[in-house]
Amino acid sequence: MDRSTALQLAQQLQTGKITPDELADQVCQPRSAQLAQTTIDLDRARRCGYPEVVFGEGKSVEMLTEIFQRQCAEQIEVLATRVDADKAAQLAKQFPQAHYNTIGRTFRITASETPTPRTGKVAVVTAGTSDLPVAEEAAETLDWMGVATNRLSDVGVAGPHRLVERLDELCDAQAVVVVAGMEGALPSVVGGYLAVPVIAVPTQVGYGASFGGLAALLGMLNSCAANVAVVNIDAGFKAGYLAGLIAAQTAGAAP
Amino acid sequence: MDRSTALQLAQQLQTGKITPDELADQVCQPRSAQLAQTTIDLDRARRCGYPEVVFGEGKSVEMLTEIFQRQCAEQIEVLATRVDADKAAQLAKQFPQAHYNTIGRTFRITASETPTPRTGKVAVVTAGTSDLPVAEEAAETLDWMGVATNRLSDVGVAGPHRLVERLDELCDAQAVVVVAGMEGALPSVVGGYLAVPVIAVPTQVGYGASFGGLAALLGMLNSCAANVAVVNIDAGFKAGYLAGLIAAQTAGAAP
Amino acid sequence: MDRSTALQLAQQLQTGKITPDELADQVCQPRSAQLAQTTIDLDRARRCGYPEVVFGEGKSVEMLTEIFQRQCAEQIEVLATRVDADKAAQLAKQFPQAHYNTIGRTFRITASETPTPRTGKVAVVTAGTSDLPVAEEAAETLDWMGVATNRLSDVGVAGPHRLVERLDELCDAQAVVVVAGMEGALPSVVGGYLAVPVIAVPTQVGYGASFGGLAALLGMLNSCAANVAVVNIDAGFKAGYLAGLIAAQTAGAAP
Amino acid sequence: MDRSTALQLAQQLQTGKITPDELADQVCQPRSAQLAQTTIDLDRARRCGYPEVVFGEGKSVEMLTEIFQRQCAEQIEVLATRVDADKAAQLAKQFPQAHYNTIGRTFRITASETPTPRTGKVAVVTAGTSDLPVAEEAAETLDWMGVATNRLSDVGVAGPHRLVERLDELCDAQAVVVVAGMEGALPSVVGGYLAVPVIAVPTQVGYGASFGGLAALLGMLNSCAANVAVVNIDAGFKAGYLAGLIAAQTAGAAP
Amino acid sequence: MDRSTALQLAQQLQTGKITPDELADQVCQPRSAQLAQTTIDLDRARRCGYPEVVFGEGKSVEMLTEIFQRQCAEQIEVLATRVDADKAAQLAKQFPQAHYNTIGRTFRITASETPTPRTGKVAVVTAGTSDLPVAEEAAETLDWMGVATNRLSDVGVAGPHRLVERLDELCDAQAVVVVAGMEGALPSVVGGYLAVPVIAVPTQVGYGASFGGLAALLGMLNSCAANVAVVNIDAGFKAGYLAGLIAAQTAGAAP
Amino acid sequence: MDRSTALQLAQQLQTGKITPDELADQVCQPRSAQLAQTTIDLDRARRCGYPEVVFGEGKSVEMLTEIFQRQCAEQIEVLATRVDADKAAQLAKQFPQAHYNTIGRTFRITASETPTPRTGKVAVVTAGTSDLPVAEEAAETLDWMGVATNRLSDVGVAGPHRLVERLDELCDAQAVVVVAGMEGALPSVVGGYLAVPVIAVPTQVGYGASFGGLAALLGMLNSCAANVAVVNIDAGFKAGYLAGLIAAQTAGAAP
Amino acid sequence: MDRSTALQLAQQLQTGKITPDELADQVCQPRSAQLAQTTIDLDRARRCGYPEVVFGEGKSVEMLTEIFQRQCAEQIEVLATRVDADKAAQLAKQFPQAHYNTIGRTFRITASETPTPRTGKVAVVTAGTSDLPVAEEAAETLDWMGVATNRLSDVGVAGPHRLVERLDELCDAQAVVVVAGMEGALPSVVGGYLAVPVIAVPTQVGYGASFGGLAALLGMLNSCAANVAVVNIDAGFKAGYLAGLIAAQTAGAAP
Amino acid sequence: MDRSTALQLAQQLQTGKITPDELADQVCQPRSAQLAQTTIDLDRARRCGYPEVVFGEGKSVEMLTEIFQRQCAEQIEVLATRVDADKAAQLAKQFPQAHYNTIGRTFRITASETPTPRTGKVAVVTAGTSDLPVAEEAAETLDWMGVATNRLSDVGVAGPHRLVERLDELCDAQAVVVVAGMEGALPSVVGGYLAVPVIAVPTQVGYGASFGGLAALLGMLNSCAANVAVVNIDAGFKAGYLAGLIAAQTAGAAP
C-alpha cells in the first residue's frame, strides 16, 4: 500500500467516514481464496491485467473442478493448460460449455456469451509440423486474451523461401511467436526481417543431441538478432501471453 | 520482393517510366557494404526499425574505425557494445564527439546535435550492485533508441520490502528490464506485481554453483510469472533493445 | 570407542567386574543385523537420535517385510519412504496396524499405542499443488519424529501476497521446510522474512528447462537469503528430518 | 503488516493517541537506505535476527566505504565477505579499528568494545588444508554472530581414523559445518556419527573431474546421511550463518 | 534471383517476349505447396540436388498421406524416415507399391519402375549389432540417392583385427559412414587408415555414462583423425545423405 | 605380427617346411567369424586371456542363438550380460544346460561339466540393497572367470560401523569391487582401509540430483583414496572382469 | 597387409627374387620415426593422402624444431597449427623460408619452390569478423592441400540478404566451410541453398550462454539442413581438411 | 579392531602382561599427527601398503616444509604431487637431497641412500606429447613405489601402426597406464590387444569440445574393452599408484 492511500484512509477514519474495522480491512484485504488443496490468486487481474491461468499438470480432476467452480463464480474467464485428454473428458461433463483444444491441450470456460472483440494481432510461426501442439497452446492463450492471431506453419530454414514467400503476412503483427525445435534457427531469421519483438519458444522436437530441447533453447538465447526474447522449452502459454501483452498494449487495448 | 511490387515495376518498364537497368537494380538492390574485413548491414533500419549495432568484442581498433566512419557517412547513429577501456581511448582520438560509458562499456557517436525527444519509458532494475555493468549497457541502448529510462538499483529479494517500497516508480513503464545474478528470482517477483512485459537478464554474479550465470538463466526461464521473457547471460544490450522496442511501439513511436 | 571408556573397561576387567569376553563384546559389540539380503543399522538411534528410516524404492515386498518384522521386534518405530501403492497394499496385509500416506507414499508402523507428545513446530510450505507429494513425505517424517507441523500450500511467488497474508502462521515455527519446483524462488522470499533456518527442497515440477528439478536446485543453492540450506531434488524425507532435528533440539526435546 | 496491528493503530488514531501522519508512517515505514549506488536493508536484523552482511565481490572501495559508514552510524556490526587483500588494505586506512582475516577474506568492524558473550557452539570441520579459506569464512561469521567455534582440520576420509579420534570434540556442538572438496564424502561420514544438523559446504578443491566443485556438491546433495543439508560451492558464510542460527536458537540465545 | 536474370527478363518484357504477369511470376514464382497442416518445399531438388525427405516422427498418418500424395503427383521419389511400424502398416494400405525397412524404419515410394543406375560407392560400417537401425537408415538413404553401398557390421575396436581384416572392402568407397555407440572410437581408427571423408554417427547404445549418446558424440567430435566429420546422435539419414553427396559428386554423378 | 615371427616363416618357406599358401595364411589368418548380422572375435582369449563376452542388450533372440551356437561349437564358455527375463526364457529352450541369474540378468552356458577350480579371491561390496543387480552381474562374471567371490551387502556409510564390523572379510581378497549409488562415498572409505585395488561401480540408485548415477560417478572419480579406479555407471560386468583379472594374475592363475 | 600381397611376397622369396630379410622388412616395415619425445607418422601420406599435420599447442620450440627438421628431410610439406606468435618468432629464425599466418596461427614450410597448381575449390564463409582466426586456419589448410579458396566474411543471419547477395560466389565450390559462433544458424541457411556438402565449425564467439561454443555446436548438430556435417569447436584445420578432401576428389585430384 | 585382537589384549591384561593403560593405548592408539594446520596420516602404510602422498596444490611452502620434516623424521619416503616450480625452488633449499621432476611437477625426498630394488613392471603409454606431464606424474609415482616403468610416447590412434609396432614392449608389463586427451580412444585399442588391466587417464588436451577433458573421460568410461578402468582427469598419480599396486602384488612384492 502506498503512503498516500494510507494517509487518506487515516483521515477518513478520523472524520468518521470509515470505521477502524474498515481501515484494517483495507490495509489487509484478502486477495486470495484458500480451497481444499489450492490457493487461488483473486488479485491477479488487478495487478497483472489478466486473471490467473491454471497449470493443469499434476492437478487432479477434483482440484481442477474446485478451482474452475470458484473462478466461474468470480466471473473469471477460465484457461487451463496441460490438461490431458482423459481429464478433459471428465471435466467436460461438469462444464458442458467448456472448449478443449485437443492438439494444444488447453481447457477454457467462457464467462460471457458475446465474444470479446479482437484488439492487437500476433503471428504464430512454426518451423515444422511437430511443433504444432506448442503453437496451439500459444494461439489459444492469445484468443483468451482477445488478441487476433495468424498461424504460419512449417516454414523452417531448410527451405528458406517458404518464410520469404509469406513475409507479408507478418507485417501487420505487433509481435511474433516463433516455435521451433532442432537447432532453433528460425527466430533469428524471422527476427532479421522484422521490426517487432519476437518471442521464441524452443521445443523438444529433434534427434538425439537436441537433448530435450536444450539445443534449440541455447540457439535462441544466443540469437544474433536483437529483437528475440526466449521462454522455457515447450512454453507455448508463456510465449502467447507475452506476445499478447505486447500486442494489446501497442493496440491501446491493454487492461 | 512481393508480387505486386514486381508487377508494378514491370508495368513501369512497359510504359517507359523506368529502364531495364532500373528494374534490375530494384529487384537486386545492394543493401550491404563490404569493408576490408567486415560487411555492414545498411538495410537494417529499414527492415528492423533501428540501424545495426556493432559488437565490439573481438574487433580491432582498425576494424571499428572503418565501420564507424562508414556508419557516420551514412548518417547512422553509432552504438558499439563490449568496447573495453583501452580500445575506447584509442577510438576517442579519432571520434572526439563520441561518448564512452565506462561501466557499461558502450561507445556512441551521435549524428545530430539536437537530442532525440524521449518517447516511451522503461524501468531498468538490478538485484545487486554487481549487476550494474549489464544494466548500464541496457540503459545506454534505450537512450540510443530515444526511450526514457528509470534505474532502480539493488532491490533483490533478500530484502523484499526494498522493491515494494519503490513499486510506484515502475507503474508508468511500458516494459521493465530486470538484471539479476545468483538465483535470478527478482524477475519472478517483479513480474508478479506488474501488467507489462518483463525482460529478464541473468548475470554471472554469484558463488560457485551459479556456474557462470546458468543458475540465474534457468531460474528466469522457469519463472512462474507469465510475463517474463529471457535473454542471454549478461546480454544487457538485447534486453534494452527488446524493452525499447515494446515501449516505443506502445507509445506510438516505433519506427 | 573413546579412550576413557576403554580404560574404564580395562579396570573393570582387572577388578574382576567383567570377563575378557565381556570386554571383547563391549569393544566389538554387534550393532547391526544381517538379514537375508539387507543389513539393518540397530545403532542408529543411539548415534543419531532417531532409528533408521527405510528407503522403499528398489526393495521387494519380501525384503521390506523382513526388515519391518525385525524393526518391530526391536521396538523401533517403522518409517519407510517411497513405497508405491501396490507394495503398500501387500504390506498392509501383514501389518494391519500400519498407516500408508497415499500422496506422500510413506508407510509407518507405530510401536506404542499412545501417541508421542508433540515438541517443536515446523511449517511445511509449498509453491504449488504439484509439490504436495514431496511436502507430505516431509510432514509424515516430522510426525514420526514427534514434531508438530503446519502446512501452507500453494503460496508461490507468482502471487506474492499469498505468502505475505500468511506470514503470521510461520512465526512460531523453529524451522521451515519450503518445497518448490520451476525456478525455486520461494525459499529465498520466505528466508527474507524470517529468523529461523529454511530447508529448501527442489522438485521436478515444471516445463522443459527445469531439467528434472535442476533449475530449482540451482536456484535454491544460489539463494541470496543467508538462512536457506538445500537438500536433494524431491527429498521430502531429508528436509523433514533436518527441520525436525532443529525444531526438536530448539524446543529442548532432541534425543 | 498483520491485521491486529493495523486495527490497533486505527484505534490509537481514533482515540487521539497517534496522528494520521504517524499511522501512515507506521504502515509505510522506511526500512532501507538508498546510497549512491546501493540500497541497504536496515530492517534485516528485525526480520532475520542479524543485520545485513555485505558481499564484497564486485563492489568498489568507494561503495564499501559508503556502506560501512552508514552501517556504523546505525550501530550495526559490520561483516563483509569476499574482500580481497588490496581492497582490505585501502579500507583499513578508513576503518583502523577493523579486523581482516587474510585466509577467509572477511572484513569486520565491531561496534562495541566489549566482546559479545558466546552462546551456542559449532564445530567447523575440513577435509583437507586446501579447504581452509572457506572454513575461515564460516568461522568468522560464527564469531560475528556470537557463537563459539571449534575447528577440526584435515580429517578427510582417506584416513578414516583421523575423524574417529576426534569425535569427542564434536559431541558438544549444536551444529556442525563440514567443508570438503573432491568427492565430498566427509559430511556423510560425519553425519553418520552424530545427532545434530550437519551443514555441508562443497569446495572447488580437486583434480579435473571435480568440475569446479560440482562433484562435491552432487555428492553432498545425494548424501545417504539424513542430517546433511547443503549450501553453495565455497559458501563458507552461508554455512556458518545457518549453523550459527541453529546453535543460537538451541542454546536459547537466538535473537 | 541474380541480376543478369532479372535484366534479361526486363529486356524480354520490353521486346514483348513476355508479359508483365509472366515477369512477375518469374520473379516471385511459387516454390512451396501449403497443405492442410504442412508446407512442402517443391524447390528443394533444384537448389539442393535431391527432393525433400520427410521426417516421420510426430506426424500423423493423415499428414503423411497428404504429403506423399502430393509428392507422388509431382513425380518426387518419396523417402520418409522415423516411421514406426504401426504407421507404416496403415500407410502401406494407401501406397501398396511402397517399401518399408523394418530395422531402419524408412518408408519409400518409387516413382519410376526401372531402378536408378548406381553411381558412386559408400561403405556403411557399424561397431556393434545394436547400431544396425541407424546404419540401415543411412543405407536406405544412399539407395534412394542412387549410390551403391557396402555394409560392414560389428567391427568395433574391442577386436581391432576385425576391421583390419576387411580394410580391402573399404578401399573403393568415396566416403565411409561409421556408426558407433559407447566411446565412439571406431571412426578415429577407420579415419586413420583411409584417404576419404568419414562421416561419423554416434548412437545411444551403451551403459549409463554414455548419457544417451553424448559420450560417443564428444568422442567423435574430438577425433584425432583429420578426416572425420560428425552428425547428430542416431542421425543415420544425415550421414547417408552427406556420404552420398560426396560419393555422387566424386563419381561425376552429382545432380 | 612381430618381425622375428615373420623372419622365421620366411625361412620355413625357403627350406620348404611351409608352402607360400601356408605363409600367407599365417600372415593373414582369419581370427573372427562373420555370422548373419554379427562378427565374433575368436581371437579374444589368445589376446586378452578370456573369450568374448556377449552384450545382450539390443540383440534379438535369433542373433543371440546364432552367436551362442557358434561359441559352443568353438568350446567357448558363454557369458552374456543384460539379457532380460523374456529373452532368457526363450533362449533356455534352446540351451537347456544354461544358467540365468534373474537379479544380475546374466546368461551362461558352461562348456565342460567339471567346475573350474577357483583361483584368486574378490570381495563384492554393496552400499544398499538396490545396488544388488549390478553386484550380481559382477559376481557372475567373476565366477565365469574362475575367481572366488565374497559378497558383503548393504554396508553403506550412513551406518559406518557396518563396514568396520566386516573388514576382516575383506582382508584376503586381492581386489575389491564396490557398488554404490547416491553420493558414491563407499569406495573412498573402503579404499582408505585396504592395500589392494578397489574397482568402484556407480549405480543409478538415488533421489533426483543423482542424475542417473552421475553424482556417484563423479564422487568415485574424485575419490581421495589413491587405490580407487572407476568403471561406467551400472557396469557390473566390467568391474568384475577387472577385479578378476587382478586377482587371477596375483594368484598366479592369469591365463 | 592383404593376403594377395603376402602371397606375392612368398612367391618372390621362393623364386629368389627377395631374401627372407626383405620379406620380413616388407611385412613389418617401419613407418614411424621416434624422435626425442615424439613419434612421427611417416606413413600418413600413403594411407591418408596427405602427410601428418603438427598440432603445435603444448609442444615446445625444441620439439617443433626437431619435428620440422625431420619432416623437411623427408621432403614433407610442413603444416603446424596452433603455433602462438612467440614460438613462431623463434622458429622463424631456424626456418627462414617459413610462412606464419598471424591471424590463423599456422606455420608452414614449403618443400618445393614452384607452387602447387590449384585443383578443386572451397568457399570459406564466416558469420562475423570474430570468427576470422578459425576461418584463416581452415583457409591455410586448404592452400597447403593445393585447393583454391574463396573467402566470404561477415554474412551472418542477422542480415539475411548479405548471404543472398553473394550466393553466386558459392556456386562453383565443391564444398563449403561455414564458421559461426553464437547460435550457429548460418550453416543451416547456407545448406538450405546449396547442393554440396557443408562443413560447419562452431566457435567460442558469443555472450554467456554460448558456453564456450556449446550453443553453436548443438545448433549445428541439430541442423535441419541435410547436407551439414560438424567438426569440433574452433576446429578450422579439420573443417578445411575435410572440405579440401571432398573438393580434391571431386575435381579428380585426390591423392 | 577385530574381536580376536581385543580378546587377546584382555587376556594379556588379566595375566598381567600389559597394564590397563597399555590396553587403552592399543584400543585407541594415536595414528595421526596434528601439525599447525594439517593432520598427517601416520597409519597409512600399515593399512594401505604405502605411506601418505602429499597433494601439493593449495598448500604453502611453510605447510609443506612442516609436513616433509615430520615425514622425514618418521623415515617416510616423501612424495608430493602438484608442486609448482616456484615452491619447488624454495623447498629445495631446505631439502637439498630432494628430487624435483620439472615436467611431472613431483617432489621427492628419499629416506635411504640405496635405491629400492625394482619389482613388477608397468608400461606408461601416451597418445600425444602434450600428455607427457600427466604421464611423468604416473611414472614418478611408480618409481617411488619401487616398480619398474617403460615409457611409450606419442602412439595415438591417428597413426594406428605406431602402437602395433611397439606391442612387444607392452607384453611383460603386469599393468598398463594409458594417458590420452581428445577422444580418449587409445585405452580401448590398447585394451583390445592385452590381457592385463589398463588404467586409463583422461587429460585436458584438445580442441573446444573436449570440455576440459570431459570428452576423453566419457570415452574411457564407455570403453568397449573390458579391461579398462578409469581415474580422474589428469590424475597421473592415481593411475600410477593403481598400476603399481597391481604390478607389485602380481610380482609378489606387494607390502
Side-chain angles (χ1 to χ4, degrees), chain D residues 126-187:
Chain D
T126 57
T129 45
S130 309
D131 302 317
L132 275 176
V134 176
E136 282 300 306
E137 194 183 89
E140 280 283 349
T141 302
L142 286 157
D143 192 69
W144 171 81
M145 296 172 91
V147 175
T149 59
N150 184 20
R151 287 165 169 89
L152 279 81
S153 293
D154 208 9
V155 295
V157 299
H161 55 91
R162 291 183 299 192
L163 174 68
V164 175
E165 287 171 1
R166 303 183 67 182
L167 276 177
D168 285 8
E169 300 180 40
L170 295 173
C171 72
D172 62 343
Q174 289 99 8
V176 178
V177 170
V178 181
V179 184
M182 297 184 171
E183 82 269 56
L186 189 56

Side-chain angles (χ1 to χ4, degrees), chain H:
Chain H
M1 172 169 286
D2 54 287
R3 199 181 183 284
S4 59
T5 309
L7 189 56
Q8 205 175 1
L9 287 173
Q11 288 161 342
Q12 289 174 347
L13 174 66
Q14 222 175 18
T15 57
K17 283 184 186 141
I18 58 171
T19 65
D21 262 304
E22 282 167 350
L23 182 142
D25 282 353
Q26 285 293 318
V27 169
C28 314
Q29 72 187 135
R31 291 172 295 168
S32 60
Q34 289 183 40
L35 309 186
Q37 286 183 308
T38 58
T39 306
I40 307 181
D41 183 353
L42 299 175
D43 189 48
R44 185 75 57 94
R46 186 192 64 75
R47 284 195 331 274
C48 300
Y50 296 91
E52 190 177 11
V53 172
V54 181
F55 180 57
E57 206 166 284
K59 291 201 179 67
S60 66
V61 170
E62 288 67 35
M63 288 178 184
L64 291 172
T65 301
E66 188 189 41
I67 294 169
F68 294 171
Q69 280 170 341
R70 180 63 184 260
Q71 288 188 319
C72 288
E74 299 271 349
Q75 302 292 326
I76 291 172
E77 295 271 318
V78 172
L79 169 60
T81 62
R82 302 268 170 131
V83 178
D84 63 42
D86 280 355
K87 282 187 197 167
Q90 293 179 63
L91 288 163
K93 291 176 195 157
Q94 313 243 17
F95 304 95
Q97 79 279 32
H99 169 70
Y100 180 65
N101 181 321
T102 53
I103 296 176
R105 293 189 298 149
T106 51
F107 192 93
R108 290 173 57 187
I109 311 174
T110 307
S112 65
E113 285 184 16
T114 44
T116 327
R118 304 291 95 174
T119 48
K121 186 159 183 192
V122 167
V124 179
V125 181
T126 56
T129 44
S130 310
D131 302 317
L132 275 177
V134 176
E136 282 300 307
E137 193 183 270
E140 280 284 349
T141 302
L142 285 157
D143 192 69
W144 171 81
M145 295 172 92
V147 174
T149 59
N150 184 20
R151 287 164 170 89
L152 279 80
S153 292
D154 208 9
V155 296
V157 299
H161 55 91
R162 291 183 298 191
L163 175 68
V164 175
E165 287 172 0
R166 304 183 68 182
L167 276 177
D168 285 6
E169 300 181 40
L170 295 173
C171 72
D172 62 343
Q174 290 98 7
V176 179
V177 170
V178 182
V179 184
M182 297 185 170
E183 81 270 56
L186 189 57
S188 292
V189 177
V190 171
Y193 282 117
L194 298 179
V196 296
V198 172
I199 309 297
V201 196
T203 70
Q204 301 200 35
V205 174
Y207 273 64
S210 80
F211 294 124
L214 177 63
L217 172 64
L218 289 179
M220 292 171 180
L221 284 167
N222 284 282
S223 173
C224 53
N227 53 348
V228 176
V230 186
V231 296
N232 204 340
I233 297 167
D234 292 338
F237 158 66
K238 198 180 273 188
Y241 189 88
L242 273 157
L245 217 51
I246 295 167
Q249 74 180 31
T250 302

Side-chain angles (χ1 to χ4, degrees), chain B residues 61 65 68 83-100 107-109:
Chain B
V61 169
T65 301
F68 294 170
V83 178
D84 62 43
D86 280 354
K87 284 187 197 168
Q90 292 179 65
L91 289 163
K93 290 175 195 157
Q94 313 243 18
F95 303 96
Q97 78 280 32
H99 169 70
Y100 181 64
F107 193 92
R108 291 173 56 188
I109 312 173

Side-chain angles (χ1 to χ4, degrees), chain D residues 11 28-29 31 37 41 47 56 68 85 87 89 107 112 114 118-119 127 134 175 180 226 230-231 238 247:
Chain D
Q11 288 161 344
C28 314
Q29 72 188 134
R31 291 171 295 169
Q37 286 183 308
D41 183 354
R47 285 196 328 274
F68 294 172
K87 282 187 198 167
F107 192 92
S112 65
T114 45
R118 305 291 93 173
T119 48
V134 176
V230 186
V231 295
K238 199 180 272 188

Side-chain angles (χ1 to χ4, degrees), chain F residues 28-69:
Chain F
C28 313
Q29 74 188 133
R31 291 171 295 169
S32 58
Q34 290 183 40
L35 309 185
Q37 286 183 308
T38 57
T39 305
I40 307 181
D41 183 353
L42 298 175
D43 189 48
R44 186 76 57 94
R46 186 193 64 75
R47 283 195 330 273
C48 300
Y50 296 91
E52 190 177 11
V53 172
V54 181
F55 180 57
E57 205 166 286
K59 291 203 178 67
S60 66
V61 170
E62 290 66 36
M63 288 178 185
L64 291 172
T65 301
E66 189 189 40
I67 295 169
F68 294 170
Q69 282 170 340

Side-chain angles (χ1 to χ4, degrees), chain C:
Chain C
M1 173 168 285
D2 54 286
R3 199 180 183 285
S4 59
T5 309
L7 189 55
Q8 204 174 1
L9 286 172
Q11 287 161 344
Q12 288 174 347
L13 173 67
Q14 224 177 15
T15 57
K17 283 183 186 142
I18 58 173
T19 66
D21 263 304
E22 282 167 349
L23 181 142
D25 282 352
Q26 285 294 316
V27 169
C28 314
Q29 75 189 131
R31 290 171 295 168
S32 59
Q34 289 183 41
L35 309 185
Q37 284 183 309
T38 56
T39 306
I40 307 181
D41 184 353
L42 299 174
D43 189 48
R44 186 76 55 95
R46 185 193 63 75
R47 282 194 333 273
C48 300
Y50 297 90
E52 190 176 11
V53 172
V54 180
F55 180 57
E57 206 167 284
K59 291 203 179 67
S60 66
V61 170
E62 290 66 36
M63 287 177 185
L64 291 172
T65 301
E66 188 189 42
I67 294 169
F68 294 170
Q69 282 170 340
R70 179 64 183 261
Q71 287 188 320
C72 288
E74 299 270 350
Q75 303 292 324
I76 291 172
E77 296 271 317
V78 173
L79 170 61
T81 62
R82 303 267 170 131
V83 178
D84 62 43
D86 280 355
K87 283 186 196 166
Q90 293 179 65
L91 288 164
K93 291 176 195 156
Q94 313 242 20
F95 304 95
Q97 79 280 32
H99 169 71
Y100 181 64
N101 181 320
T102 54
I103 296 177
R105 293 188 299 149
T106 51
F107 193 92
R108 290 173 56 187
I109 310 173
T110 306
S112 64
E113 285 184 18
T114 43
T116 329
R118 304 290 95 174
T119 47
K121 187 160 184 191
V122 167
V124 178
V125 180
T126 57
T129 44
S130 309
D131 302 317
L132 274 177
V134 176
E136 282 299 307
E137 192 181 271
E140 279 284 351
T141 302
L142 285 157
D143 191 68
W144 170 81
M145 296 172 92
V147 174
T149 59
N150 184 20
R151 287 166 170 88
L152 279 80
S153 292
D154 208 11
V155 295
V157 299
H161 55 92
R162 292 183 298 193
L163 174 68
V164 174
E165 286 172 359
R166 302 182 69 182
L167 276 177
D168 284 8
E169 300 180 40
L170 295 173
C171 72
D172 62 342
Q174 289 97 9
V176 179
V177 170
V178 182
V179 185
M182 297 185 170
E183 82 268 56
L186 189 57
S188 292
V189 176
V190 170
Y193 282 117
L194 297 178
V196 297
V198 171
I199 310 297
V201 196
T203 70
Q204 300 199 34
V205 174
Y207 274 69
S210 81
F211 294 123
L214 177 62
L217 172 64
L218 290 180
M220 291 169 179
L221 284 168
N222 285 282
S223 173
C224 55
N227 52 346
V228 175
V230 186
V231 296
N232 204 340
I233 297 168
D234 291 339
F237 158 65
K238 198 180 274 188
Y241 190 87
L242 273 157
L245 218 52
I246 296 167
Q249 72 180 32
T250 302

Side-chain angles (χ1 to χ4, degrees), chain E residues 182-183 188 209-210 215 219 222-224, chain H residues 183 188 209-210 215 219 222-224:
Chain E
M182 297 185 170
E183 82 269 56
S188 291
S210 81
N222 285 280
S223 173
C224 54
Chain H
E183 81 270 56
S188 292
S210 80
N222 284 282
S223 173
C224 53

